């Protein structure tokens, strides 16, 4: 039975995605760039991404029967919190994608529903794999190939009508679906702009389209487990979970970001721009209760409080001293060391 690609994409939108496109499964065109990135150590301590690198470049290694890849995107843009929250150095900044419930839990069930619908349409079980972030695929390249936009110099996927605040997901299927024309070819690019490279507080882009995770605040605050290199701490400002600096300045984001169909985002400014002193006082139990269901527990309490201590030190405010004095006595040596480092900056 022939399945109409337009109906498949329409169904994806009905299931709550904002954009959908189709690519023919095959080899990643920029596999060499991925290998070079790993060889240069730009994945930092993310050993899982360096495991079986060829598997990430060749869809048939993930699902031998795969013929097509349905790529979906969901906008996670919502309005900024009021400026008095956003610019207060005694409040933390959380990257937008983490403003609410964990997107993995929201997108994967929708992709599985799409797979079930395809079974019914095809009249047979469709071999498939559903991925949101955690699968062994180069998601941005596939999104661009499925016509969903182009890769910006900050390495993220930009859709010309939505910007880059997009979650991506994929459904690999054994169906032959008409592919979309690739995004790069028809949708424009960065031109001579380099705002993302210039604004990056830690200069994490050694060249356009290449990110060195070892320097990226997103990596340092979320993925990195140990102490944060001292030279980078003052550059982290009040980012306590992820970083959006390179996206905030992007002209595509400024012009085209808009709320989509995501209903799991959190508008509460107290949650998305929390008082650092409140976070510094969280014990294990209250940490778990406060962030349950959101992406934040990925850092565990020790990772978040390490970041909070740095942000308190970067605030330049005497109000940061009492919570830091308490954190400096934390039984966890990682938290205590970062608190002492920040105190030394504030009490001179
Ligand atoms: C590891 C990872 C990270 C790492 C490394 C990021 C990186 N740039 O590689 C860290 C922890 C730093 C990170 C940070 C963030 N991440 Co992340 N991350 C991933 C993950 C799991 C793998 C990415 C990967 O394979 N990296 C390896 C590098 C080499 O791959 P790549 O950059 O895609 O490589 C291509 C380009 O370099 C390109 N290329 C090379 N040369 C050239 C030249 C030209 C001209 C062009 C056009 C392209 C090009 O070809 C390469 C191969 O395809 C993906 C999910 C996935 N499975 O893909 C999410 C993912 C990329 N992350 C995502 C998000 C939201 C973020 C953050 C915004 C979170 C935040 N706010 O803190 C930041 C953004 C930082 C940034 N500027 O990239 C989203 C991005 C959505 C989008 N619109 O693109 C993804 C897709 C997850 C998802 N499903 O939603 N992330
Ligand atoms: S997320 Fe922040 S630190 Fe990472 S590349 Fe973008 S601006 Fe730089
Ligand atoms: S800020 Fe400029 S260079 Fe960077 S991704 Fe956006 S358009 Fe491209």
């Amino acid at each position: 039975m022939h399945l109409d690609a337009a109906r498949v994409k329409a169904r994806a939108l009905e299931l709550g995605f904002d954009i959908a496109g189709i690519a023919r499964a095959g080899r990643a065109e920029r596999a060499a760039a991925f290998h070079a990135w790993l060889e240069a150590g730009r994945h930092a301590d993310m050993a899982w991404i360096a495991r079986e690198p060829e598997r990430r470049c060749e869809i048939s290694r993930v699902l031998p029967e795969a013929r097509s890849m349905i790529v979906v995107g969901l906008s996670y843009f919502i309005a900024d919190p009021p400026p008095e929250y956003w610019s207060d150095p005694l409040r933390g900044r959380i990257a937008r994608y983490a403003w609410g419930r964990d997107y993995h839990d929201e997108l994967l069930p929708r992709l599985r529903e799409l797979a079930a619908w395809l079974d019914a349409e095809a009249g047979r079980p469709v071999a498939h794999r559903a991925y949101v972030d955690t699968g062994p695929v180069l998601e941005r390249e596939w999104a661009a190939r499925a016509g969903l936009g182009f890769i910006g110099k900050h390495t993220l996927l930009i859709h010309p009508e939505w910007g880059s605040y997009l979650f991506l997901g994929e459904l690999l299927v054994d169906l032959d679906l008409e592919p979309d024309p690739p995004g790069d070819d028809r949708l424009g690019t960065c031109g001579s702009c380099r705002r993302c490279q210039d604004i990056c507080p830690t200069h994490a882009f050694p060249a356009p389209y290449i990110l060195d995770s070892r320097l990226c605040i997103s990596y340092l605050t979320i993925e990195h487990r140990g102490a944060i290199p001292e030279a980078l701490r003052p550059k982290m400002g009040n980012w306590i979970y992820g970083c959006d600096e390179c996206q905030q300045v992007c002209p595509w984001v400024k012009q085209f970001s808009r709320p989509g169909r995501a209903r799991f985002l959190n508008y509460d400014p107290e949650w998305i721009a929390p008082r650092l002193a409140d976070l510094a006082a969280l014990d294990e139990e209250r940490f778990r209760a406060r962030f349950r269901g959101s992406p934040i527990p990925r850092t565990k309490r020790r990772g978040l409080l390490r970041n909070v201590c740095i942000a308190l030190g970067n605030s330049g405010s005497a109000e940061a001293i009492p919570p830091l004095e308490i954190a400096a006595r934390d039984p966890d040596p990682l938290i205590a060391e970062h608190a002492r480092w920040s105190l030394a900056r504030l009490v001179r």
Side-chain angles (χ1 to χ4, degrees):
M1 182 202 164
H2 176 72
L3 255 175
D4 179 29
R7 279 192 63 214
V8 174
K9 287 180 277 183
R11 182 67 191 148
L13 301 192
E14 277 169 22
L15 287 170
F17 295 109
D18 289 321
I19 48 173
I22 293 171
R24 185 157 288 142
R27 184 166 175 75
E29 279 166 7
R30 296 203 176 92
F34 175 58
H35 279 286
W37 187 77
L38 292 177
E39 275 150 31
R42 294 192 164 123
H43 57 300
D45 290 338
M46 294 180 288
W48 48 269
I49 203 171
R51 230 169 275 140
E52 296 184 76
E54 260 305 293
R55 188 158 177 253
R56 263 177 201 266
C57 299
E58 188 67 62
I59 295 302
S60 63
R61 292 193 183 215
V62 181
L63 180 68
E65 313 89 302
R67 308 281 302 166
S68 309
M69 188 177 312
I70 304 162
V71 187
V72 293
L74 184 64
S75 168
Y76 61 85
F77 177 83
I78 49 174
D80 289 347
E84 63 274 21
Y85 284 78
W86 201 226
S87 53
D88 181 350
L90 288 165
R91 287 182 179 271
R93 281 192 179 217
I94 295 175
R96 255 170 214 284
Y97 87 88
W99 290 3
R101 293 200 298 276
D102 193 324
Y103 68 99
H104 303 93
D105 303 339
E106 301 291 329
L107 272 72
L108 269 173
R110 299 181 198 191
L111 280 176
R112 294 200 181 108
E113 244 185 276
L114 183 60
W117 179 83
L118 287 171
D119 285 349
E121 289 292 304
R124 66 167 174 86
V126 170
H128 69 273
R129 291 279 182 283
Y131 293 126
V132 175
D133 187 38
T134 45
V137 286
L138 294 162
E139 293 189 316
R140 294 168 285 187
E141 171 164 339
W142 286 104
R145 273 171 76 171
L148 296 189
F150 62 94
I151 295 175
K153 288 179 186 171
H154 53 19
T155 77
L156 297 166
L157 188 276
I158 300 174
H159 186 282
E161 288 163 18
W162 288 92
S164 62
Y165 288 133
L166 291 166
F167 298 123
L168 299 177
E170 308 77 37
L171 192 64
L172 280 56
V173 290
D174 67 352
L175 297 165
D176 272 311
L177 299 169
E178 181 66 26
D180 284 287
D184 285 1
D185 294 341
R186 56 183 182 135
L187 296 169
T189 54
C190 295
S192 59
C193 177
R194 48 168 292 134
R195 285 184 212 184
C196 51
Q197 291 168 268
D198 293 339
I199 197 82
C200 175
T202 51
H203 307 292
F205 300 109
Y209 309 106
I210 299 177
L211 177 76
D212 191 335
S213 307
R214 291 168 293 197
L215 298 172
C216 176
I217 295 168
S218 178
Y219 167 77
L220 294 167
T221 53
I222 304 172
E223 302 295 333
H224 183 61
R225 294 286 163 256
I228 293 184
E230 289 191 14
L232 296 175
R233 296 181 194 178
K235 300 177 179 170
M236 289 167 54
N238 57 346
W239 288 107
I240 56 166
Y241 192 93
C243 168
D244 283 331
E245 298 278 351
C246 52
Q247 296 190 83
Q248 277 168 192
V249 293
C250 178
W252 293 94
V253 157
K254 283 176 188 280
Q255 199 174 338
F256 296 107
S257 290
R258 60 197 153 98
R261 296 175 198 192
R263 294 285 172 267
F264 52 92
L265 302 170
N266 191 334
Y267 291 83
D268 178 359
E270 291 295 337
W271 201 95
I272 59 187
R275 280 171 41 82
L276 293 167
D278 294 347
L279 298 185
L282 292 176
D283 60 16
E284 279 296 346
E285 204 180 315
R286 282 187 296 143
F287 170 81
R288 275 200 297 274
R290 177 159 178 158
F291 295 115
R292 187 169 296 129
S294 84
I296 309 271
R298 187 169 175 81
T299 60
K300 305 201 167 43
R301 171 184 179 267
R302 71 187 311 242
L304 188 74
L305 263 67
R306 168 199 64 185
N307 305 338
V308 165
C309 287
I310 295 176
L312 282 165
N314 289 340
S315 71
S317 165
E319 282 182 55
I321 293 173
L324 280 171
E325 282 172 341
I326 295 169
R329 296 193 295 275
D330 198 280
D332 188 315
L334 183 75
I335 297 169
E337 184 274 310
H338 284 73
R340 284 195 303 273
W341 178 86
S342 285
L343 276 173
R345 299 187 70 209
L346 293 172
V347 187
R348 282 178 200 265

